[in-house]
Amino acid sequence: MSWRTVFFIALLLSLTPQAVAQEARPAGKSVLLLLPEDTALPAMAMLVASLRSSLWETGDGPITLDVESLDLGWASGPEHTRALRTWYLTKYRERRPDALITFRTDAIQLTLELRQELWPDIPVIVLSEDERLWEKHPRPERVAGLLLHYDMRATAELALQLLPDTRRLALINGASPWERAEQERMLRDLRPLLAQRGLEFIDLTGLPLAELLERARTLPADTTVLTFTFITDPSGRPFVGREIARMFLSASNRPCFALHDTVLGLGFVGGALVSYEAVGQQLGLLTSRVLRGEQEEFLAPLKPAPVDTLTLDARALRRWGIPRDRVPPGVRLAFDEPSLWERYRWWVLGALTLSGLQALVAGGLVVERRRRMRAQAELLERQRLEKLAEMEARRNLDQLAHVSRVAALGELAASLAHELNQPLAAILSNAQAARRLLNTTPAQLDEVREALGDIISDDKRAGEVIHRMRALLKRGEPRQELHSLNDLVREVARLLTNDMHLRGVTLQLALAPSLPAVQGDGIQLQQVVLNLLLNALDAMADVPAGQRQLQVRTASPGPGRVELSVQDSGGGIEPSRLALVFEPFYSTKENGLGMGLSISRSIVEAHGGRLQAESPPGQGALLRFVLPAAHTESSP
Amino acid sequence: MTQAPATIFLVDDDESVLRGLGRLLRAAGHATKPFASPSEFLAQLSGDTPGCAVLDLRMPELNGLELQQAMESKNCHLPVIFISGHGDVPASVRAMKAGAVDFLLKPFDEQQLLGAISEALHKDAAARAGRAETAALHARHAVLTPREREVCALVAQGLTNKEVAQRLGTTEKTIKVHRARVIQKLGVDSVAELVRFVDRLGQG
């Protein structure tokens, strides 16, 4: 070959990359799989592996499978679509796919859009969970498909057969748009069953992770739990299925059923489990036929694929004490083999006898060590996840606390405006007096000096009001610092002085002369004090003027503990309502939000303490919290 | 009528406001008396001092409106100017209805305050003059005998001597004598002036 020929061929190559690519790999076809979510999700990983092997087994030659994740759980919109288009165009210029595979309604939609712009003539194979997919949009050309059904109804019926005492069905599901849409479909399936059996439905869907786990811990005794997925919680945080499944399995006090076989063995009792291995095989088969040029599939675009089997975990049955005879015929039992020990007991015994005591000890140690390491790893993992949930709960509390602080200061707005206007009035009068005094002859300089002194102290007084207000309005990361409870109480009392003055309330501060320090977020602790004092003031609105007395004391009720109590001289709290006052949205005030005490209790508990309400007969309400003292030498 | 100079009474429970206010008014040439509480002020109140009162609207023991009523009941007619740190519309309406001269929101400008005070002092002087005049009229009227008062009232109503005589069951001649005495005792020149005198007496 001459130089020129080489150059000419190179030129040709660069001009028609597609044709040349096909020539270079005459039998090698390539398929692009567009996944809706993270490839790390176990279901996705299983499906990809199974699809790949199915394509290799059924295809006429090696088929390349490229996998891309559309990440729809946390990205969407025209910008995202545009970016994907540019990226795929660049990446697949040299290796134009021969077919696209995708699943889930949202991913199907996006894939069809992308095909329209990138490779309008290649076929698309879809797997849809929505039998009415083509009702909303007419089926485009060259689209083949399979129908995947998550059979919640069959799962629920299986659960009811195993647990006939069930009176309540709880459903766990995530909050992403797709999960919500799926939930509607499943409820449509479940509703007749609920009505027919007279079951109560407990909706655990779309909750933040921490709340979900909390609810799962305290389900009533006759509840059975159905789970779907938990890809995203309402804050939009994405999760990975197996870890989440482990978390709510360890939280749940009731047996749980699932719809995915990838979580089998974690502790779920079972269900109509979709096998992603089977899904991958079916998709592979269909794709191979499409690639071979068969046309008939395009005519029947959605065929149900047999991909789920009623499956139960024998170990979970043992754990929940479900008798074997309740298992309906035809249900697959997983993990139903005798353990290694049961199967090979005599062999092992014989071997042990032969190898002697030393081998036994050594082997035992190895097993023990391995078990301990596994237990440790599991413990670490559980601790990590619990910590995550705890952090989230804490973040929610901080946000709520800030909102409620702003609301509390709103109640004080009139009184704070008054408190600012007083020094401002004095400043203005003094300044104008000083101007007049300078104009007299002789100028009254001593009086001017006094006026200026008053101006300075009034300015400081106004500044302090603003400083106290801003401190409480501040929203920042909660801080862990040492505080004197007495100082915190004094600050809040100063902020309220004017309000109490105008309401005709007498404040008695009885602060312990020496208290250990407490550790935590000063602003939040002040907020608790503020809430307690404001509540007390409101409680005394109906008491005749002159009898409105507020007692605030601090004490150290025992070593390492610090206490604050607030007692008003109002009508007290009815004993039946004592437990209710901490409930969110419970308020005795006509325009109260009902969050103050609930948030205060959360704050106190987050600081390791307890907040209680009492109503001693014949006296007003007594609110009291106890906090652990910080580990440090006492401070006054 | 006393000859004491006009005094501005200041009542505010906020000491620094009280001090600043007093300083400003003194610099503007007024005599002031500051009180840090309504009860102190009420205790010092003497019947008829000329001047006006500047009252804080919201004080712990007695609010400004209640203080205004207490002043009335102690027969103290000082014109009142209210000052307040709140934009409290209902209270200001009540204050104005109860006869306050002005209602100022803290912080207020010296022009507002001095304007209101000069208005109040004028009002006080006018009211005081009116009260003095009415007192003089009453003093003169008190000299009349009961019969002369009857004649005076009927003549002022526009009745003729004859009609008055008929009403009182006496002769026209007797009435003429009474009428002449009434005119002389009251120091008026004509029946027309007599009518005006009775009018003012009625209003006072």
Side-chain angles (χ1 to χ4, degrees):
Chain A
M1 236 191 294
S2 81
W3 211 115
R4 268 168 205 229
T5 328
V6 172
F7 178 76
F8 187 61
I9 289 173
L11 192 68
L12 260 182
L13 278 172
S14 66
L15 283 175
T16 57
Q18 293 162 9
V20 174
Q22 273 170 1
E23 262 171 48
R25 295 186 289 128
K29 300 215 164 171
S30 93
V31 174
L32 175 56
L33 169 64
L34 296 174
L35 292 173
E37 303 291 352
D38 192 343
T39 50
L41 284 170
M44 305 278 171
M46 172 61 85
L47 185 135
V48 171
S50 156
L51 174 64
R52 185 167 272 136
S53 70
S54 168
L55 284 174
W56 273 82
E57 281 163 20
T58 56
D60 296 330
I63 295 179
T64 317
L65 178 67
D66 292 297
V67 182
E68 298 283 353
S69 161
L70 298 171
D71 289 335
L72 292 177
W74 53 91
S76 62
E79 279 289 315
H80 184 226
T81 312
R82 226 176 353 260
L84 287 179
R85 195 180 62 222
T86 316
W87 167 234
Y88 295 158
L89 195 62
T90 313
K91 185 169 175 186
Y92 295 101
R93 180 177 293 145
E94 299 292 323
R95 197 172 56 197
R96 186 177 191 272
D98 297 291
L100 294 174
I101 307 178
T102 190
F103 59 94
R104 234 169 75 175
T105 312
D106 47 352
I108 293 171
Q109 226 103 57
L110 180 54
T111 304
L112 290 174
E113 266 175 56
L114 288 170
R115 177 183 75 160
Q116 183 70 28
E117 300 204 30
L118 296 174
W119 313 289
D121 51 338
I122 67 170
V124 177
I125 295 95
V126 305
L127 175 73
S128 175
E129 70 288 349
D130 185 0
E131 68 271 23
R132 295 188 289 191
L133 179 66
W134 306 132
E135 282 177 19
K136 290 169 212 152
H137 309 278
R139 179 170 68 92
E141 293 208 357
R142 296 180 66 75
V143 176
L146 287 173
L147 180 63
L148 169 62
H149 182 60
Y150 292 102
D151 202 343
M152 190 53 100
R153 169 99 193 224
T155 304
E157 276 171 350
L158 177 63
L160 291 175
Q161 253 175 312
L162 296 172
L163 299 157
D165 295 336
T166 301
R167 293 285 164 271
R168 298 177 172 89
L169 280 183
L171 177 62
I172 290 177
N173 189 17
S176 67
W178 173 72
E179 289 174 293
R180 284 204 189 125
E182 274 304 286
Q183 184 188 330
E184 269 176 36
R185 245 192 302 286
M186 273 180 265
L187 276 178
R188 224 181 295 137
D189 277 2
L190 277 180
R191 239 171 244 128
L193 188 67
L194 291 170
Q196 184 192 329
R197 302 281 192 103
L199 299 173
E200 186 190 322
F201 179 66
I202 300 179
D203 193 0
L204 298 180
T205 62
L207 298 175
L209 179 57
E211 200 185 330
L212 169 66
L213 296 181
E214 186 50 44
R215 293 277 307 273
R217 266 178 210 117
T218 53
L219 287 168
D222 46 8
T223 310
T224 296
V225 183
L226 304 175
T227 66
F228 180 47
T229 64
F230 201 86
I231 299 175
T232 316
D233 84 350
S235 68
R237 268 202 306 144
F239 298 102
V240 176
R242 269 173 92 84
E243 287 183 18
I244 287 300
R246 267 203 199 96
M247 278 177 80
F248 57 66
L249 276 172
S250 69
S252 175
N253 60 348
R254 300 293 310 150
C256 299
F257 289 77
L259 295 179
H260 307 261
D261 74 340
T262 45
V263 293
L264 190 66
L266 294 181
F268 285 104
V269 181
L273 302 186
V274 166
S275 154
Y276 291 96
E277 195 176 355
V279 171
Q281 266 170 8
Q282 298 274 351
L283 272 183
L285 275 173
L286 180 54
T287 307
S288 300
R289 293 171 65 185
V290 169
L291 288 177
R292 269 201 298 272
E294 283 185 33
Q295 294 294 318
E296 81 273 23
E297 289 297 341
F298 293 116
L299 302 173
L302 277 183
K303 277 187 183 172
V307 288
D308 63 344
T309 326
L310 287 176
T311 308
L312 292 171
D313 182 335
R315 295 178 306 197
L317 289 181
R318 274 202 289 277
R319 192 203 146 194
W320 293 103
I322 300 170
R324 272 304 170 88
D325 53 17
R326 287 194 196 150
V327 177
V331 172
R332 186 169 81 90
L333 263 185
F335 308 109
D336 195 23
E337 290 137 23
S339 65
L340 276 181
W341 172 249
E342 282 166 347
R343 194 181 286 174
Y344 299 113
R345 181 187 340 207
W346 299 112
W347 285 101
V348 174
L349 278 179
L352 281 180
T353 318
L354 286 173
S355 56
L357 193 61
Q358 197 179 4
L360 175 76
V361 171
L365 283 176
V366 168
V367 169
E368 174 60 27
R369 183 179 134 80
R370 212 173 271 163
R371 193 181 297 154
R372 206 170 53 231
M373 280 171 71
R374 199 166 52 226
Q376 252 169 10
E378 274 172 17
L379 188 70
L380 277 177
E381 179 64 9
R382 203 161 52 234
Q383 278 171 346
R384 191 179 70 85
L385 292 173
E386 271 169 10
K387 186 121 193 201
L388 260 180
E390 206 174 274
M391 271 164 62
E392 174 176 308
R394 187 69 216 231
R395 217 175 10 243
N396 286 343
L397 171 64
D398 293 339
Q399 282 171 1
L400 257 182
H402 179 249
V403 170
S404 120
R405 236 167 22 233
V406 172
L409 280 177
E411 277 183 47
L412 282 180
S415 145
L416 289 172
H418 183 258
E419 207 177 342
L420 278 175
N421 281 334
Q422 295 289 78
L424 289 179
I427 288 172
L428 189 56
S429 296
N430 274 314
Q432 291 178 331
R435 190 170 60 187
R436 281 175 181 271
L437 291 166
L438 284 175
N439 285 339
T440 55
T441 36
Q444 294 166 266
L445 289 182
D446 284 343
E447 186 80 27
V448 171
R449 212 166 279 130
E450 276 177 32
L452 289 176
D454 281 356
I455 288 175
I456 291 168
S457 67
D458 277 319
D459 183 275
K460 283 185 182 154
R461 183 172 135 204
E464 274 166 26
V465 176
I466 292 173
H467 175 77
R468 283 198 292 274
M469 244 163 60
R470 280 180 54 178
L472 275 171
L473 284 175
K474 202 160 60 183
R475 178 171 168 204
E477 283 296 300
R479 303 160 73 135
Q480 289 292 313
E481 289 168 340
L482 291 180
H483 293 281
S484 147
L485 187 61
N486 284 348
D487 286 351
L488 296 179
V489 172
R490 271 191 214 108
E491 277 270 299
V492 174
R494 254 205 298 276
L495 188 70
L496 282 174
T497 309
N498 185 50
D499 202 50
M500 290 194 267
H501 194 57
L502 294 175
R503 298 199 205 199
V505 172
T506 326
L507 171 70
Q508 292 180 338
L509 269 186
L511 303 182
S514 139
L515 271 187
V518 291
Q519 184 161 30
D521 186 68
I523 293 173
Q524 289 193 354
L525 290 174
Q526 274 187 339
Q527 177 178 2
V528 177
V529 180
L530 178 69
N531 278 337
L532 296 185
L533 294 189
L534 277 178
N535 277 349
L537 294 184
D538 289 339
M540 293 187 287
D542 296 334
V543 174
Q547 296 173 30
R548 299 176 190 157
Q549 291 191 337
L550 181 56
Q551 293 195 333
V552 179
R553 354 172 149 262
T554 57
S556 179
R561 294 198 305 160
V562 183
E563 181 188 84
L564 171 99
S565 62
V566 175
Q567 177 148 32
D568 61 54
S569 62
I573 308 171
E574 267 179 48
S576 62
R577 291 183 167 183
L578 272 176
L580 280 175
V581 295
F582 294 108
E583 290 293 313
F585 305 115
Y586 176 85
S587 180
T588 53
K589 290 177 244 168
E590 217 163 274
N591 49 3
L593 193 57
M595 291 306 289
L597 279 180
S598 150
I599 289 171
S600 297
R601 173 138 91 174
S602 306
I603 291 175
V604 169
E605 284 173 1
H607 285 79
R610 269 160 61 81
L611 172 63
Q612 288 168 298
E614 292 163 41
S615 193
Q619 300 169 49
L622 172 64
L623 274 289
R624 176 206 308 270
F625 69 71
V626 180
L627 289 175
H631 300 292
T632 166
E633 62 267 46
S634 63
S635 64
Chain B
M1 192 174 166
T2 53
Q3 289 302 312
T7 306
I8 321 282
F9 295 90
L10 306 173
V11 188
D12 195 318
D13 62 317
D14 190 307
E15 276 182 36
S16 73
V17 172
L18 195 61
R19 228 176 18 248
L21 209 53
R23 193 171 281 134
L24 175 62
L25 291 177
R26 280 197 305 282
H30 291 286
T32 61
K33 270 194 179 168
F35 299 94
S37 80
S39 53
E40 269 178 54
F41 171 57
L42 284 175
Q44 293 242 336
L45 210 55
S46 67
D48 201 23
T49 320
C52 68
V54 178
L55 310 181
D56 188 18
L57 193 63
R58 293 188 71 163
M59 290 176 286
E61 43 186 271
L62 203 60
N63 72 37
L65 292 172
E66 291 162 345
L67 179 55
Q68 191 183 16
Q69 281 165 10
M71 285 164 64
E72 287 293 332
S73 67
K74 286 192 80 174
N75 214 13
C76 165
H77 304 294
L78 285 174
V80 168
I81 297 163
F82 282 112
I83 54 176
S84 169
H86 288 263
D88 193 340
V89 176
S92 63
V93 170
R94 261 179 290 150
M96 297 310 282
K97 276 192 178 163
V101 175
D102 212 337
F103 183 97
L104 303 178
L105 271 185
K106 293 176 190 171
F108 42 78
D109 195 70
E110 62 180 344
Q111 294 310 327
Q112 281 177 298
L113 177 69
L114 294 175
I117 280 179
S118 90
E119 193 191 326
L121 292 181
H122 276 121
K123 205 175 160 186
D124 182 54
R128 203 168 288 283
R131 280 200 300 276
E133 196 189 334
T134 313
L137 292 180
H138 276 284
R140 272 192 272 167
H141 191 256
V143 181
L144 302 184
T145 64
R147 192 53 158 192
E148 284 165 356
R149 270 181 222 166
E150 281 176 333
V151 173
C152 171
L154 291 172
V155 169
Q157 280 172 24
L159 271 63
T160 62
N161 287 348
K162 202 172 165 186
E163 286 165 333
V164 175
Q166 269 171 10
R167 206 55 92 77
L168 297 179
T170 179
T171 61
E172 201 179 338
K173 206 172 163 186
T174 318
I175 297 301
K176 269 190 182 166
V177 175
H178 281 312
R179 202 178 77 173
R181 261 197 219 132
V182 167
I183 287 181
Q184 182 218 334
K185 279 185 176 173
L186 295 184
V188 292
D189 290 338
S190 61
V191 174
E193 250 183 71
L194 178 82
V195 171
R196 215 157 43 236
F197 183 100
V198 172
D199 245 19
R200 275 153 61 197
L201 197 64
Q203 281 167 5

